[in-house]
Amino acid sequence: MAPIKRKSVVEPDSPNKKPRPAQSATSNVSIFHKDEPAFPRGGASVLTPLEHKQIHIKARQDVLFEQSTGQKSRAFDSEDEENAGDDSGEEDDSPAMVRRKPANKSKSQKLGKVADNNGIKIEGLSYKRLVPGSMVLGQISQINRYDIALSLPNNLTGYIPLTSISDKITQDVEALAMEDDASSGEEEMQASFNIELKNFFSVGQYLRAYVSSTEDSAGVRGKAKKHIVLSINPRQANVGLKRSDVVVYSMVQAMITSVEDHGLVMSLGLEDSTVRGFMGTKDLGSNRKLSAFKEGSVVLCLVVGFSSNGNIVKLCADLERIGNVKKRNFLTDAPTVDTFLPGTAVELLVSEVKATGISGKVMGLLDVTADIIHSGAAASGKPLEKKYPIGSKVKGRIICTFPTADEKKLGISLLDHLVALTSHLPSSQSESVLPVGSIVDQARVAKVEPGFGLFVDLGIKGARGFVHISYLSGKKIENLSESTGPFKAGSVHRGRVIGYNSMDGLFLVSFEQKIIDLPFLRLEDVQVGQTVEGIVSKLIVNGSGVSGVLVSITETISGLVPEIHLADIHLQHPEKKFKEGLLVKTRVLSVDLERRMMRLTLKKSLINSDASIWKSYDDLEVGMQAPGTLINILPAGAVVQFYGAIRAFLPVSQMSESYIQDPKQHFRMGQVVNVNIMTVDPNEKRMVVSCRDPSAFGAAQQQALIDLRIGSIVSGTVSEKTGDEIIVDISGSGLRATLPFEHLVDGSAAKAVSAAKKIRVGQTLQDLTIISKNEKKRLVKLTSKPSLVKASKHSNLPKSLEDIRIGAEVFGFVKNIISAGVFVQFAGDLTGFLPMNQLANDLRTLPEFGLRRQQSISAKVLSVNTNQERFALTQKPTTEQQIDHEGVASAATIVDRSLLNAADETSCSIDDFTLGKLTRARILSVKETQMNVQLADKVQGRVDISQVFDSWDDIKDRKYPLKSFNAKQVLPVRILGVHDSRNHRFLPITHSNKAPVFELTAKPKDQTDAKLDILTLDDVKPDSAWLAFVNNVSEDCLWVNISPNVRGRVRAMDVSDDVSLLADLGGNFPIGSALRVRVVHVDATNNRLDLSARTGTSSTPMSLSDLSKGMVLPARVTKVTERYMMVQMSEQLSAPVQLVDLTDDYDLANPTIYQKNQIIRVCVTDLDVPNKKIVLSTRPSKVLSSSLEVKDPEITSILQIKVNDILRGFIKNVADNGIFISLASNITGFVRVSDISDSFIKDWKSGFEIDQLVAGKVTAIDPTLHHIQMSLKQSVLDKDYKAPLTYADIEVGQIVTGKIRKVEDFGVFIVVDHSSNVSGLCHRSEIAEDRIADVKKLYEEGDAVKAKVLKLDLEKRRISFGLKASYFLADEMYHTSNGDEHDNGNDDDDDDDDDDEADGTQLPKLTDDEMAEIEFEERGSNFDSVRDMEVDQDDVSIENRDLEPEIMNDELSNEPTKVTGLTTSGFDWSGGFIDQEKQDALSETDGEAQPTRKKRNKAEIKVDRTGELDANGPQSVADFERLLMGQPNSSYLWLSYMAFQLQLSELLKAREVTERALRTIKQTRETDSEVLNVWVAYLNLENTYGSDETVEEIFSRACEHNDAEEIHSRLTSIYIQSGKNERADELLQAMVKKFSQDPKVWLNYATFLFNTLASPHRARDLLPRALQALPKYHHLDLTSKFAQLEFRSPNGDAERGRTIFEGLLDTFPKRLDIWSVMLDLEIKSGDKDKVRKLFGRVTSNKLKVKKAKYFFKRWLEYEEKNGDPQSCEKVKARAAEYVREQEVEKA
């Protein structure tokens, strides 16, 4: 089909017009421009109907313009101005771009203008020309998490949102959104988001994009930022394409719908869904695999063919083929112009060449233009006329469309890399050539575009830059000139690269000095940990206040300072400190390039810190220190955040040197702490840090770490268990070590885990071998593998290469497994290699050879390479072993036995070294127990430490005897034999193996003796003395050598006479140290030798007969309990040390301070040889001859005890008849039950336990029977003891104090304090002056009272008490007149209340039978159950936290004039509301009981309601002080005391009492409410008598010590009660900001606004704020309550409430609780029609049978009450219909 062509308009030449001026050199119009591509039919117009309409509209506009202004239309000028302003591809438009019409324009100029307009206007793509609907070709420059950045022509960048990529990805995003709909946090949604766009696209990929929108958004510092939103969805990227428009060599964008084995099935997004695409594997591209393509990804493809039916379009994505357009692969046939879309390669016929670009036609049909950039003029700098002469045909690629152009035209690019669809410079290469931000010192101007910018040469081949006119200088530049001015062609300037556009192939450069001086231009340049300065641009505010601060570093880079990083302390008002525009200094915490976010800190402790920046786990080492921020505090510790993604765990045990139970009590979120690294694992990205001072690892621990020997046996206590290891405190060293689970057993991993589960914290582990240590990092690793422990005990565990001997069997564990073999680790990080061919045959074919890491393994040494410090192992039998050519004993060595470099310079062959030969040796290394020497090259020997010294005096340093020897020193030696490393002995020369190690002696005596005596165990005799050297240290003994092959054991107790040295055997007797020992026992058969280093030690073991009284000797602790400890003095003697023998002060008696295997001094205090009983003592006065005071002397005989002696002892037994007390190991005292206490104690056994320390007085002694009787009564022990009151001590009229024992309807029973259970009755008529309706409301059991004795019956032991206040007034007046010291606050009382009234009080209502019953109840009651006075929380705590003012007002308005609470001047102390029930209990005549002639003091006492505490409460300061001594934590007493002071007008004293209360009451979980009561009373006091400042001060203090929200609520209640509604309003406003997460706060504020302030509009505005601040699960309930307020409040709108409920029901139609609430409200409103409609709606829903029955029953009850029989029948009919429907559904 021939191309469709359209004729262009050609104006005929007018005879009146002058000829056109000659065309300039820069603009040549081709004659082809005027040629018509086709002939019109039938003489019809060549214009299309659309063109006719456009001409008509334009002409009409010109006529209207001339009529209104009388001037010619400036259509061309205005168009030129607009286009001139669009030439810039930048975001900022330059004012210089707007052209103004000259005042006088010549006719020739006008003609020239017309001539120019006859040509095609060359336009480049710009932001103004890029309108929604535009199509553009782009290249991916960056792939972010949620969008893709696409580089567009002319330095534009667009962004493709996640939902504008393809239908498949959009569906996946919607599915994820539905799944995450329940999650409320952004972090949870981000965690579940799993679409990685980098798996779908790659940087540099070309795509066709559809412009969705262009908008100007607010940028940094208020500068407008232009944002281009694109879509690459094939449905939009191929918009306008029909099935017939898709032809061969056209470009389409397709989405992969399926990945098959043979290719890709693709969707083209056309209206005809039957058309699909397919791309075979050969068309993917040479470097692209089928597996790299994902479903949902989008690809720009070339159409290469069709299927037979035309429904399948064959596509190609091979860029090499697509980009090869020399002969083919460009569009040669197009059915319509819609085929020409961006990305399509075409052939252009050049019709016009200008300085600004090229224009031409494609297929003689379509106008295309290439601007100055995409014509190649900017890059080459050569004239376009020469490169593209008019009439020539060139290949190009369409890059954009111009939907707003008057005529259809397209933008085209002639750049080579765009035509070939390759990258001009790959992103990585562009960064390496000229990274963004780099400074170009000499940028030479190559071309000047006036009004546009400069093209510059950057001094690098192939790198051309562009400087926009707005980036030339900080000043405004109107225009540029090629030949004049500072920016003329050839001028050199200093600039900075600010970007790179891969589509244009140009570097973007700026000459502005301020940009050159910027520290960085983009987020990638910011370094984590760097300190930067910025300006506060915005404060981020949420419901709780300021949550962060945005700081602008540059105009394009800003960072967020989270709330916890605003300061080192918590700021109450951050907005006051950080104002917008403030210059601040910050430090970069992290940079998230994917999310384009940067976090900063304003904490001075971090900004000013000189510590290293922790931003990579690989750079961190144990011991490094730096500050970090606490971001999460847990019970087990805290999470510490550093820079970047570095986080660490801070265990609670490492938070402080002292014990911390709850970290939240000592640390807070956001706090900066200085930590040091304990462990770090870069692979797992895990790190553990400590706040403890590393210097606290003192000299003792450092020395202990140095003295700790690898391979030694230790014990330790488990201090912590982690997921895969156990932390052990090594006994006696103060060091911590790790014991991995795998090192607990030799067996499988399951056994290791099982063994770990059995280990508990605090458990002591024995037989632990030190496998490695790192002194620098202070790390010690242990093992308890039986194979390794056994090897260590027998000194067979290799610790260095010197311990490795060929052929020796060694035990280790698997360190690593590779394909070539297994690495086996031993002690001291010594590692050997077990090749695969040396493994057992049955292991070679198994995965990882059937082994696992840390598994126990044994092998034999195959070869040793001392030069490279390597050795090989084998598991093959000995017959199969091969000697490695690198080994010491190679084949050459066996054949050639000649010597080289012999130390004695005389020996020539190895055969010269015979037994007893005197020779010389050169020291290679000096160890603790031996010297490794060399007799000649490759001939080694060793000198055991026992073969160096002749006598004790020859040893200069007895701890390190070999310290005086140095390497390379030559010694005279004598050959003893060949060393056997397996058995730690030497053999005769005849046993020499292939690589012999000679055993030598360097003793001076052996060098001179003619005969060489070799010591054996048979030569050792009991009681003989020897010189020994420590070879190993264990918990209970030292292993020593007296010769190379004679080894013995010294028990810990026999190491030294100085017991103080035995506490640290390893430190005081290190390996290699010398001892003088004596043989105790020899067993040659079992190869056992027992030695002793103590003086005077006998060879026979210590027995019972060897002991005597007073003997002090060492002993080893073998068992420790809370009652005693067991010690061992020898293998045959053990005895306990009882509590009474531990110390001279029984207060310090604690056996648990001793540890197992600890060596201590004991003194034998008693012996019973026949019964084999030993009594030992550890009292300092016995074992140390201490002169300190002996608080509890030792009792050895009953004769030392005298009657009336006060002795202390420990309870030995608690029996039914009394207590047995241990006074000494063999003396016991007895306390009868009657002698335990002065008062009767019903359950006396519960107060005593075994081993409890008590003090008693001896009352009787029977030496014959060995009996001692004692008493624990306080009356016996205390000289000043006063006997308790009895009935005989009570007198009528006496004032006593007591406690309520029992409360009955007829009165209360009172037990007298400090009495012998003396109790009596106070009838309810004697409780108060007025009638008491309910006694139980006034008193509870345990309340403290003061009473007066009214009547006494000693025979019947009955007492009648009175609690009336008048009794105490009369008594005080009496005592005052007699000079008694009482508070004289009532001196003005008259004599109205006399004693006659009191004496006349009788008990007429009680019969004798009733009194007898009462007496029985008195005697049968348990008076010990009488508790201290407690106040009901409802009486003194603050009520109505929900602050419903309408309820408050009702209660306040109904209160009578007289109240019973603690009231002063008319306010309630509790900050809540007055109990109405107590008001009703008062008599109506209470207000008339006060005579008018009495003075104020007495009247106030008369009315004082402190009687609610006690019917006759405290009446003076002394009374209050006495009560507070017994109940210091009672807020009720303190409030009464405050009220008492206010009654006396002592405001200052009332405040002092309040402050005392706050200091006295200890704030615990149990007393929190008591403290809160005092604070609320304090607030009420200051609100009534103080100022706003004092209230604010007390309020701030109260918030610090209590729950801040609770205090806010209480103060709000106080303000509302006192009528200070404005203050209440301010406080509630602060509460909704500070406690926005509590829905009650919002509801309280709304209730206050509705009811108290009558401001419903303000209350309604709260709901959207509350819903924004609260989590979603609160929204439904809160919205429902706001709707209820509209119904219930007198200022509410019920119709508005209905609307809210209807919205809720529409969203949650199945929430029956909402229906029920709305029904209740409608029923109360009284509108029957609305109620019936609502019942009908709810019953019409699909309800379960139970729910339906409920609503029908409720409806029927409503109709029965408010309707008629007809309405009731309707309800029943509806119910019957529902039942039928249910039956039908079941059927």
Side-chain angles (χ1 to χ4, degrees), residues 728-951:
V728 179
D729 291 334
I730 301 177
S731 301
S733 64
L735 300 176
R736 277 196 167 188
T738 59
L739 175 60
F741 287 176
E742 282 283 357
H743 277 266
L744 291 174
V745 295
D746 284 327
S748 63
K751 288 185 178 180
V753 174
S754 177
K757 290 180 179 179
K758 297 177 182 178
I759 296 177
R760 298 289 180 264
V761 174
Q763 181 178 345
T764 301
L765 303 179
Q766 306 289 342
D767 291 337
L768 303 176
T769 299
I770 299 173
I771 201 71
S772 65
K773 72 172 182 177
N774 188 324
E775 295 183 2
K776 180 180 179 182
K777 299 181 180 180
R778 301 201 296 270
L779 295 178
V780 180
K781 186 177 179 181
L782 303 174
T783 181
S784 64
K785 287 179 177 288
S787 59
L788 299 182
V789 174
K790 182 178 179 181
S792 178
K793 289 183 177 180
H794 293 84
S795 300
N796 290 335
L797 183 64
K799 299 181 284 295
S800 63
L801 196 63
E802 288 78 6
D803 299 332
I804 301 298
R805 296 291 178 264
I806 294 178
E809 185 179 8
V810 290
F811 295 88
F813 57 92
V814 178
K815 180 180 181 181
N816 195 14
I817 304 172
I818 60 176
S819 58
V822 180
F823 288 96
V824 182
Q825 185 174 343
F826 304 93
D829 294 327
L830 181 66
T831 303
F833 184 64
L834 176 60
M836 182 181 66
N837 58 3
Q838 297 298 328
L839 283 163
N841 295 330
D842 57 341
L843 298 180
R844 297 180 188 177
T845 59
L846 297 177
E848 292 193 342
F849 312 120
L851 302 174
R852 70 178 191 281
R853 288 168 180 79
Q854 306 297 325
Q855 180 179 344
S856 302
I857 189 172
S858 64
K860 290 186 177 181
V861 179
L862 179 64
S863 64
V864 181
N865 187 333
T866 56
N867 297 329
Q868 297 183 0
E869 296 185 351
R870 296 177 180 175
F871 62 98
L873 304 170
T874 181
Q875 285 186 331
K876 288 186 176 181
T878 308
T879 56
E880 299 180 13
Q881 291 185 17
Q882 303 292 331
I883 303 299
D884 198 319
H885 69 278
E886 294 180 347
V888 175
S890 62
T893 307
I894 298 170
V895 175
D896 186 7
R897 301 179 67 82
S898 61
L899 300 178
L900 296 176
N901 298 325
D904 58 0
E905 299 179 355
T906 58
S907 300
C908 299
S909 172
I910 195 172
D911 297 326
D912 295 339
F913 296 137
T914 59
L915 179 64
K917 177 179 175 61
L918 294 171
T919 182
R920 301 180 70 83
R922 186 180 299 107
I923 298 177
L924 293 178
S925 61
V926 179
K927 303 297 182 181
E928 293 90 349
T929 60
Q930 70 181 31
M931 291 185 292
N932 296 324
V933 299
Q934 190 179 46
L935 299 176
D937 289 353
K938 297 185 180 181
V939 180
Q940 298 180 1
R942 68 181 291 271
V943 180
D944 189 86
I945 190 173
S946 61
Q947 299 300 315
V948 177
F949 306 100
D950 283 335
S951 65

Side-chain angles (χ1 to χ4, degrees), residues 86-110:
D86 291 347
D87 286 341
S88 171
E90 301 295 319
E91 295 178 352
D92 298 327
D93 298 326
S94 174
M97 305 291 289
V98 181
R99 300 177 184 174
R100 298 182 179 179
K101 184 177 179 181
N104 297 317
K105 194 170 185 180
S106 64
K107 191 173 184 179
S108 61
Q109 290 173 330
K110 294 180 181 179

Side-chain angles (χ1 to χ4, degrees), residues 1687 1693-1699 1702 1705 1715 1718-1738 1755 1758-1759:
F1687 278 92
D1693 185 356
E1695 195 60 35
R1696 185 182 293 270
R1698 292 187 185 96
T1699 303
E1702 290 296 338
L1705 292 174
W1715 289 98
M1718 191 173 180
L1719 278 170
D1720 291 337
L1721 296 172
E1722 291 292 355
I1723 291 172
K1724 289 182 180 179
S1725 65
D1727 193 335
K1728 297 181 180 180
D1729 292 336
K1730 287 185 172 60
V1731 174
R1732 288 176 177 135
K1733 288 180 181 180
L1734 199 58
F1735 271 116
R1737 287 173 59 192
V1738 67
W1755 191 1
Y1758 175 81
E1759 294 296 344

Side-chain angles (χ1 to χ4, degrees), residues 962-1097:
L962 298 181
K963 192 175 182 180
S964 58
F965 296 91
N966 301 315
K968 298 183 180 181
Q969 182 179 347
V970 179
L971 298 175
V973 295
R974 194 169 186 178
I975 297 177
L976 297 176
V978 178
H979 178 70
D980 184 3
S981 60
R982 287 178 295 178
N983 299 321
H984 296 279
R985 58 191 180 90
F986 60 89
L987 305 173
I989 299 295
T990 56
H991 287 77
S992 175
N993 56 18
K994 297 176 182 179
V997 177
F998 291 96
E999 191 73 45
L1000 309 172
T1001 177
K1003 286 185 177 182
K1005 179 182 178 182
D1006 292 336
Q1007 310 302 319
T1008 57
D1009 288 350
K1011 183 181 179 182
L1012 182 61
D1013 292 330
I1014 299 176
L1015 183 65
T1016 63
L1017 189 60
D1018 295 330
D1019 301 329
V1020 179
K1021 304 300 180 184
D1023 288 332
S1024 59
W1026 300 92
L1027 188 61
F1029 299 89
V1030 178
N1031 180 267
N1032 197 1
V1033 181
S1034 63
E1035 291 182 357
D1036 57 348
C1037 68
L1038 295 179
W1039 293 94
V1040 297
N1041 280 5
I1042 60 177
S1043 76
N1045 56 356
V1046 178
R1047 191 181 188 194
R1049 184 187 66 163
V1050 183
R1051 291 193 313 118
M1053 293 181 295
D1054 295 330
V1055 171
S1056 174
D1057 292 327
D1058 188 355
V1059 180
S1060 62
L1061 299 177
L1062 307 182
D1064 184 9
L1065 289 178
N1068 296 318
F1069 304 97
I1071 294 176
S1073 57
L1075 294 173
R1076 286 188 294 188
V1077 297
R1078 183 178 298 275
V1079 179
V1080 176
H1081 179 68
V1082 181
D1083 187 355
T1085 304
N1086 297 319
N1087 197 26
R1088 179 174 177 179
L1089 175 63
D1090 292 333
L1091 306 170
S1092 174
R1094 293 175 57 194
T1095 58
T1097 304

Side-chain angles (χ1 to χ4, degrees), residues 394-423:
V394 293
K395 303 293 192 305
R397 195 171 295 276
I398 299 172
I399 58 174
C400 65
T401 63
F402 298 103
T404 58
D406 293 338
E407 295 184 2
K408 178 77 173 182
K409 66 176 180 179
L410 302 174
I412 195 171
S413 177
L414 306 180
L415 298 178
D416 294 339
H417 69 280
L418 284 182
V419 174
L421 289 184
T422 59
S423 295

Side-chain angles (χ1 to χ4, degrees), residues 1398-1419:
D1399 293 338
T1401 303
Q1402 302 293 331
L1403 301 175
K1405 297 182 180 180
L1406 299 179
T1407 63
D1408 292 341
D1409 294 337
E1410 290 173 339
M1411 291 298 295
E1413 182 181 356
I1414 293 171
E1415 181 179 359
F1416 173 78
E1417 290 178 358
E1418 282 184 52
R1419 295 180 179 177

